[in-house]
Amino acid sequence: MMSFQLLFSNNSVRNTAIYCQDLGIRYEISKHDGVVSVYRWDASISRNLRVGEFKLPFFSKDMVKLGGETEWRRLDTFLYRSSWLSSSRSFVGNNGKEYRWKVKNGGVVVSLPSVDLEYPPLTAKVQLHSVSHKTRTPLVTFHRHYRKKHPSYLEVHDPSILHTLDSIIVSFLIMERKRRDEEAENAAVDGATGA
């Protein structure tokens, strides 16, 4: 199987659908009362299954629930820092492999921890790389478009990650939401200081 695209129904990461009709993949993302819920359509039982929920409150700890978890847990138990000063976040996919999101050149890059990446100029804000495979080819690349005519999409370069797509989608939504919030804060500060 070659690469494929997971299209976004709009540019939101809190109220959108992410789908690939050819493969029957569909995630529904919605926000209600400060909680972002992520559901995946399961055709075998003809209903949505919750694959994750998260909340990123301004004045308290970020929280997450994955899969069938019923109790909230701190987000840093799912997306954790590789070192205290690092902006990178690692997570273990539902396939048991560790992945790392890195912020580089204003974008987020996902890799497996053992790969030392050479960063090409980013045309997308988010890339996912394999840590266990010594490759510089991303597993997933996010392409953000601002016009409805051209929807944003996640380009999946390596279909072997389909088994861990739930954790990739949830972690992507969290990292991209945080990246956008930081981008907005920086723009507000620059506007206030006249920079």
Side-chain angles (χ1 to χ4, degrees):
M1 179 189 293
M2 300 299 290
S3 68
F4 62 91
Q5 296 177 356
L6 294 169
L7 301 173
F8 282 66
S9 62
N10 60 51
N11 280 322
S12 173
V13 292
R14 293 184 275 204
N15 290 293
T16 192
I18 303 172
Y19 60 93
C20 176
Q21 289 181 340
D22 292 344
L23 297 177
I25 297 170
R26 183 170 185 87
Y27 289 87
E28 295 286 338
I29 295 91
S30 61
K31 182 179 178 184
H32 183 69
D33 292 334
V35 175
V36 177
S37 300
V38 183
Y39 291 89
R40 178 181 34 83
W41 176 254
D42 187 332
S44 68
I45 58 173
S46 297
R47 69 180 183 105
N48 280 325
L49 297 176
R50 187 189 65 171
V51 298
E53 291 182 311
F54 62 91
K55 51 186 176 180
L56 308 173
F58 191 71
F59 288 111
S60 58
K61 293 288 183 187
D62 298 339
M63 305 296 279
V64 66
K65 287 195 272 188
L66 299 171
E69 293 176 347
T70 57
E71 299 293 321
W72 288 101
R73 61 179 165 135
R74 288 176 45 157
L75 179 62
D76 59 11
T77 64
F78 169 56
L79 277 173
Y80 47 91
R81 288 180 190 252
S82 51
S83 69
W84 188 76
L85 294 175
S86 175
S87 60
S88 299
R89 298 289 184 276
S90 298
F91 70 97
V92 175
N94 45 314
N95 63 356
K97 292 183 181 177
E98 184 179 30
Y99 297 90
R100 182 174 293 150
W101 293 99
K102 294 181 181 182
V103 177
K104 188 73 173 178
N105 299 332
V108 182
V109 179
V110 179
S111 65
L112 292 169
S114 63
V115 174
D116 187 23
L117 297 174
E118 178 180 304
Y119 295 97
L122 291 177
T123 56
K125 294 291 184 186
V126 180
Q127 291 184 331
L128 175 73
H129 290 265
S130 172
V131 176
S132 62
H133 299 93
K134 299 281 185 183
T135 180
R136 292 188 172 132
T137 304
L139 297 173
V140 178
T141 304
F142 178 57
H143 301 273
R144 185 175 181 191
H145 295 282
Y146 296 92
R147 296 183 181 172
K148 287 185 178 185
K149 185 175 166 182
H150 301 286
S152 298
Y153 62 95
L154 286 167
E155 183 177 5
V156 178
H157 302 285
D158 184 349
S160 71
I161 64 152
L162 282 174
H163 298 311
T164 194
L165 200 53
D166 291 352
S167 54
I168 288 172
I169 294 290
V170 172
S171 63
F172 164 77
L173 293 168
I174 293 167
M175 291 300 293
E176 182 63 4
R177 178 73 261 151
K178 286 178 160 288
R179 190 198 64 73
R180 290 182 187 187
D181 288 348
E182 184 175 319
E183 187 177 77
E185 287 173 22
N186 290 340
V189 168
D190 289 347
T193 62

